[in-house]
Amino acid sequence: MATQHHYPWYKKEDTDAFFALFQNNIANFVIIAITMLGMGFPASIVYGQVLPGAAVAVMVGNFYYAWSASRLARKEQRSDVTALSYGISTPVMFVFLFGVLLPAKELTGDVTLAWQVAVAACFISGAIEAAISLIGRWVQYHLPRAAMLGAVAGVALTFIAGEMLFKTLEMPVIGLLVLAIIIVGLLARVSMPLKIPTSLFAIILGTAMAYLIGDAGGERFSDAFTHLGFYPLLPNLAWWEGLGLLATGMLAILTVVLPITLYNAIETMNNVEAMEAAGDKYDVRECQAVDGVGTMLGALFGGVFPTTVYIATVGAKWMGAGRGYSLLNGAVYAIATMFGLIAMISAIIPVSVVAPILVFVGISMIATAFQSNDSRYYPAVALAMLPYFANYVMTRFNRGAEDIVSDISTAIVATGQGAMFMAIFLGAMTVSVIDHQFRRAAIFAMIAAAFSFVGLMHAAELGINAAPSFSMGYLAMALLFGYFAFQEKPTTSNPR
């Protein structure tokens, strides 16, 4: 007799994955709160509307992906399926903060109207991504794995592993100790005392030591209780009112929404591809549709930030997580947001204590990008990672980047704009050339030229002939590849 399949609701490994995903989401929630309050948005909007709306999107998406993991486990009769991580897309979050919310506030002079415009923009973004899902599988099939995973690895190296290593070392004694625990427990897979999950043990010990040696002061507790209260998750009509505002004078904001939504859809595609390489195959079209619908639902409840499948999913797979961490994350965020616990938790636990967990997530993504590709494609993976160095520098200096880094190179800002697209196209061209598929490489180069021409890459905003030098550069590449395409027949090797 065949043994009955059992897929647990929760297991010990889910705890490690939960803390990694929880920290990723809580960091975004705290950044949103601090930034919006600094812009002049009142706490009633930030804590009463925006964060509850984001919590609804996170909850719905996490619950859906837990169910999707159960469906895959049942279909393949496996108990080691990992649910997809889900939350607010960090790069998209920054774009909506400074490219949608702030301009809307400056144009209207009213924080409530600005919030309504941003809610409408978020709703439109979700609708666009849901529509993009119709071609998601076709795009996934035609883009080489090395290109997509190389782009993801670039994000992992800069914004996750690199950024979190800096945060780790802000408290060297605590951060390095916690990093050592993570390396021992999650890489060497050595059990922690009392069989406590590695991430939980690291957070408990690191937080306790931070207070004992004085790296974390007692004033953190007073800050933690400032915004406790009850913030119900209720739908509203801000999205509808915002649509009217967009239609009557702020259509320019949509020029920001379209390219960042395309980015978000590709980010989901890349991260689903990474999970397939790690052993769990999900339907990319379904995931893009879920992300779009989740974003729209969040907007109905006052949220202004699109959601996506997280890059951290492969880290959860490495940890051996199942579906429990996703269920717990959705439930915790709904409760924590309703009662104002997000700010309290983030104030009590020092960032340097949780940052090493995300360093692990980042390095696991980089390792997967190489391990899941043939060694001959390693140069393509490495090349696809590079644009994100520019994107990281540009993002961290925000609008002053062009002046600040001009002495290093005038190309940094232009390279960082649309870095995801540039990374994928460079990686795809390199894979095609390695396989002597020069005609295919020429096609990717021409697509890159078209993206540059309309401003999806290498330009601050959409427009006609937005980045002429880059358009001509990619066309020159296409001509070169076209020349070699006529010199020999393309091979039939599969770059995936």
Side-chain angles (χ1 to χ4, degrees), residues 41 44-45 48-50 53 101 111-124 234-247 250 296-304:
F41 289 89
S44 59
I45 289 180
Q49 301 290 344
V50 174
L101 269 169
V111 291
T112 300
L113 294 180
W115 163 63
Q116 292 172 344
V117 168
V119 172
C122 181
F123 185 86
I124 292 172
L234 298 174
N236 55 68
L237 293 175
W239 67 278
W240 180 254
E241 295 165 353
L243 286 175
L245 292 169
L246 279 173
M250 281 178 278
M296 295 167 72
L297 283 173
L300 294 180
F301 284 77
V304 299

Side-chain angles (χ1 to χ4, degrees), residues 265-341:
I266 290 178
E267 183 180 17
T268 292
M269 180 177 63
N270 285 353
N271 296 337
V272 172
E273 173 76 11
M275 271 304 280
E276 181 177 345
D280 293 337
K281 184 175 182 178
Y282 292 96
D283 187 340
V284 66
R285 293 189 305 174
E286 178 185 359
C287 294
Q288 288 173 328
V290 170
D291 291 356
V293 171
T295 296
M296 295 167 72
L297 283 173
L300 294 180
F301 284 77
V304 299
F305 299 100
T307 49
T308 186
V309 171
Y310 265 2
I311 191 175
T313 304
V314 170
K317 182 69 177 177
W318 277 37
M319 294 175 186
R323 59 179 167 176
Y325 85 105
S326 189
L327 291 168
L328 183 59
N329 189 71
V332 165
Y333 265 91
I335 295 171
T337 303
M338 280 194 294
F339 293 98
L341 299 175

Side-chain angles (χ1 to χ4, degrees), residues 219-454:
E219 67 276 2
R220 298 180 70 97
F221 281 102
S222 60
D223 295 337
F225 295 94
T226 303
H227 295 291
L228 285 177
F230 182 64
Y231 306 96
L233 308 179
L234 298 174
N236 55 68
L237 293 175
W239 67 278
W240 180 254
E241 295 165 353
L243 286 175
L245 292 169
L246 279 173
T248 57
M250 281 178 278
L251 285 174
I253 288 178
L254 293 182
T255 63
V256 177
V257 173
L258 177 58
I260 200 60
T261 301
L262 291 174
Y263 166 91
N264 210 33
I266 290 178
E267 183 180 17
T268 292
M269 180 177 63
N270 285 353
N271 296 337
V272 172
E273 173 76 11
M275 271 304 280
E276 181 177 345
D280 293 337
K281 184 175 182 178
Y282 292 96
D283 187 340
V284 66
R285 293 189 305 174
E286 178 185 359
C287 294
Q288 288 173 328
V290 170
D291 291 356
V293 171
T295 296
M296 295 167 72
L297 283 173
L300 294 180
F301 284 77
V304 299
F305 299 100
T307 49
T308 186
V309 171
Y310 265 2
I311 191 175
T313 304
V314 170
K317 182 69 177 177
W318 277 37
M319 294 175 186
R323 59 179 167 176
Y325 85 105
S326 189
L327 291 168
L328 183 59
N329 189 71
V332 165
Y333 265 91
I335 295 171
T337 303
M338 280 194 294
F339 293 98
L341 299 175
I342 296 292
M344 185 187 74
I345 295 171
S346 63
I348 291 175
I349 303 174
V351 174
S352 296
V353 172
V354 290
I357 300 173
L358 294 182
V359 172
F360 167 80
V361 170
I363 62 176
S364 68
M365 283 305 309
I366 298 167
T368 297
F370 286 97
Q371 291 173 354
S372 60
N373 282 286
D374 189 277
S375 59
R376 63 184 172 144
Y377 298 126
Y378 285 0
V381 174
L383 184 58
M385 293 171 64
L386 296 182
Y388 268 95
F389 283 102
N391 185 265
Y392 180 82
V393 173
M394 182 192 75
T395 303
R396 288 301 168 260
F397 287 114
N398 198 18
R399 296 186 177 185
E402 195 159 5
D403 296 328
I404 295 171
V405 302
S406 60
D407 289 339
I408 303 174
S409 173
T410 56
I412 289 178
V413 173
T415 303
Q417 292 163 333
M420 174 66 77
F421 295 132
M422 183 182 184
I424 289 175
F425 290 140
L426 283 180
M429 284 185 269
T430 305
V431 167
S432 300
V433 169
I434 290 172
D435 289 332
H436 283 226
Q437 295 181 338
F438 294 108
R439 182 174 300 177
R440 188 179 186 187
I443 292 173
F444 282 123
M446 287 188 289
I447 295 173
F451 272 49
S452 301
F453 183 80
V454 298

